[in-house]
Amino acid sequence: MTKEELIIKLKAIVKPYIQDEKAFKNLTEETDFIKDLKINSANLVDVVLDVEDEFDIEIDNDSMEKMLSVKAAIEIIETKLASK
C-alpha cells in the first residue's frame, strides 16, 4: 500500500472527528491531529480504534501515545502491516 493510499484511508477515518475543516482540506504528512485538526484526546482514541479496524492491526499503548500526526500514524501503520 502506498503512502498516498494510506493518507486517503486516514482522511476518511479522521473526518468524523475533525473540528477544523480548512486544516483537513490541507492535510499533509505534517498535519497534527490535535493542534491542526482540533481532534480531542477522547476522539483520538476513537481514531486509533478505527485505524485498527480498517487495517486489521493492533496498536499498543506506546504506539498509541506517539500517534499524534499523520506522519506518525503512517509510520505506525506501515510497521504493523509489515510485521503481520
Side-chain angles (χ1 to χ4, degrees), residues 6 60 63:
L6 278 175
D60 54 68
S63 297

Side-chain angles (χ1 to χ4, degrees), residues 1-19:
M1 184 174 301
T2 67
K3 233 170 227 180
E4 289 74 28
E5 290 170 323
L6 278 175
I7 290 174
I8 290 168
K9 286 188 174 204
L10 265 177
K11 278 185 92 167
I13 290 168
V14 300
K15 185 161 180 37
Y17 307 108
I18 62 156
Q19 302 299 318

Side-chain angles (χ1 to χ4, degrees), residues 4-79:
E4 289 74 28
E5 290 170 323
L6 278 175
I7 290 174
I8 290 168
K9 286 188 174 204
L10 265 177
K11 278 185 92 167
I13 290 168
V14 300
K15 185 161 180 37
Y17 307 108
I18 62 156
Q19 302 299 318
D20 189 329
E21 194 69 43
K22 185 177 179 205
F24 179 72
K25 284 191 172 102
N26 299 318
L27 186 135
T28 67
E29 278 190 51
E30 303 308 314
T31 300
D32 185 285
F33 292 133
I34 296 171
K35 291 180 192 147
D36 298 326
L37 299 179
K38 313 281 190 264
I39 297 174
N40 67 37
S41 55
N43 283 342
L44 204 51
V45 173
D46 293 329
V47 168
V48 170
L49 295 173
D50 292 348
V51 165
E52 287 181 326
D53 289 345
E54 175 68 33
F55 296 98
D56 193 29
I57 57 176
E58 191 172 309
I59 299 174
D60 54 68
N61 288 340
D62 287 343
S63 297
M64 190 183 298
E65 289 171 13
K66 295 174 189 157
M67 203 164 127
L68 300 175
S69 68
V70 172
K71 185 175 189 172
I74 289 170
E75 289 170 1
I76 291 165
I77 293 166
E78 286 177 334
T79 302

